[in-house]
Amino acid sequence: MSLFDDDQPKKKPIHEIGSDLSQLSVDELSARIAQLSEEIARLEAERTRKSASRSAAEGLFR
């Protein structure tokens, strides 16, 4: 990690939970849904990977 990491611009979140959606177009809403669906799939894959690792580790101690 660099000493200058704080100088890097922060990436704006795709979507903020609970934000006002009334000003977004149908296309903008569809784009957000697609991006959030991809993120959900990424999170589920990581959870599956970690669950498998945990199960394997628990199997060593039985």
Side-chain angles (χ1 to χ4, degrees):
M1 190 180 278
S2 172
L3 295 174
F4 303 103
D5 286 340
D6 292 338
D7 294 340
Q8 298 298 322
K10 299 289 183 202
K11 199 173 181 183
K12 185 178 179 192
I14 297 166
H15 178 76
E16 186 176 319
I17 303 298
S19 63
D20 180 20
L21 304 176
S22 65
Q23 300 300 312
L24 298 175
S25 69
V26 171
D27 289 340
E28 290 170 322
L29 290 168
S30 296
R32 284 191 186 195
I33 290 168
Q35 290 172 331
L36 290 167
S37 294
E38 290 172 8
E39 183 64 6
I40 288 168
R42 188 177 78 89
L43 289 164
E44 288 175 337
E46 183 65 15
R47 179 179 61 185
T48 299
R49 186 187 71 75
K50 287 187 177 198
S51 292
S53 293
R54 183 177 183 177
S55 294
E58 287 174 347
L60 292 174
F61 296 104
R62 289 185 188 174

